Amino acid sequence: MQPVEKVSVDDAPTRTRVTKSIMENGPSTAADLALRLHLTPAAVRRHLDQLLADGIVEARDQRVIGQRGRGRPAKVFALTDAGRSTFDSSYDELAVEALRFLAKTGGDDAVMAFARHRLSDLEDRYRPLLQLADPAQRPQVLADALSRDGFAASIGTTPAGSQMCQHHCPVAHVAVEFPQMCEAESEMFARLLGTHVQRLATIAHGDGVCTTHLPHIPDSPDTPSSTAAERLPS
């Protein structure tokens, strides 16, 4: 017999947990969420129905890797721009206006200089952590450091290296208009890891996560120049 889900007077805290779980882990099925949050599938679907109605999440077809089984693939639920905004700063519009003024008065180079300056403190904090780690462990160390700063990063392996996914970007709305924010971040990853990196997807471009390919790192990398990061094609 299935357990009966108790309906609380205020579902907002649980709904926030559902939303946060999608933000931290990327597009998820109802079954994934139920297992992750220790809820019944019926309860998760009820919360997802409300989040869909509120425009906080959207349903997508699940990508199937390899041979597809019988039946339709399960739906996955991803955050919409409105859903992400619940975790983002309310000062996005102010930031965009400031960068528009900077671009008008100083040009694109001034915007890029700001984007690099914005990340300088992060880079200074992360560099000692990566220098102490074995080269093979540096992608995971970087992802852990980013997660502690709210980027909800995870690492997967590929035959050619690692793939880092950032499920949250606090400047996504700004980066839609100013891709220099993404470019400066890729440059930082390249310098920290001692290898070129390649952006495969970004939240700012409408993808569910920011995905970066990190090639295998040499045992004794030299610090690359900032041009080692390959730009995401516009």
Side-chain angles (χ1 to χ4, degrees), residues 77-182:
F77 298 88
L79 292 185
T80 63
D81 286 342
R84 293 186 196 283
S85 69
T86 62
F87 297 98
D88 292 335
S89 169
S90 61
Y91 298 104
D92 279 351
E93 187 57 35
L94 177 63
V96 169
E97 290 295 332
L99 286 174
R100 285 173 182 164
F101 177 80
L102 186 61
K104 184 177 180 179
T105 57
D108 290 341
D109 289 345
V111 176
M112 192 66 196
F114 169 79
R116 290 168 176 156
H117 173 75
R118 171 184 164 271
L119 295 171
S120 59
D121 287 343
L122 282 185
E123 186 169 350
D124 289 343
R125 285 198 288 112
Y126 293 173
R127 183 175 291 106
L129 300 176
L130 272 71
Q131 288 176 338
L132 291 173
D134 292 334
Q137 296 300 315
R138 287 173 187 165
Q140 185 63 61
V141 171
L142 176 59
D144 290 344
L146 287 166
S147 293
R148 287 192 293 271
D149 283 322
F151 292 87
S154 61
I155 287 289
T157 58
T158 71
S162 301
Q163 186 167 287
M164 182 167 66
C165 293
Q166 295 162 256
H167 302 286
H168 179 57
C169 174
V171 296
H173 291 92
V174 178
V176 170
E177 186 169 342
F178 297 99
Q180 294 95 328
M181 308 300 286
C182 300

Side-chain angles (χ1 to χ4, degrees), residues 2-3 5 30 34 39-49:
Q2 290 289 336
E5 185 72 24
L39 297 171
T40 64
V44 169
R45 284 192 290 271
R46 176 166 58 83
H47 289 298
L48 287 171
D49 286 344

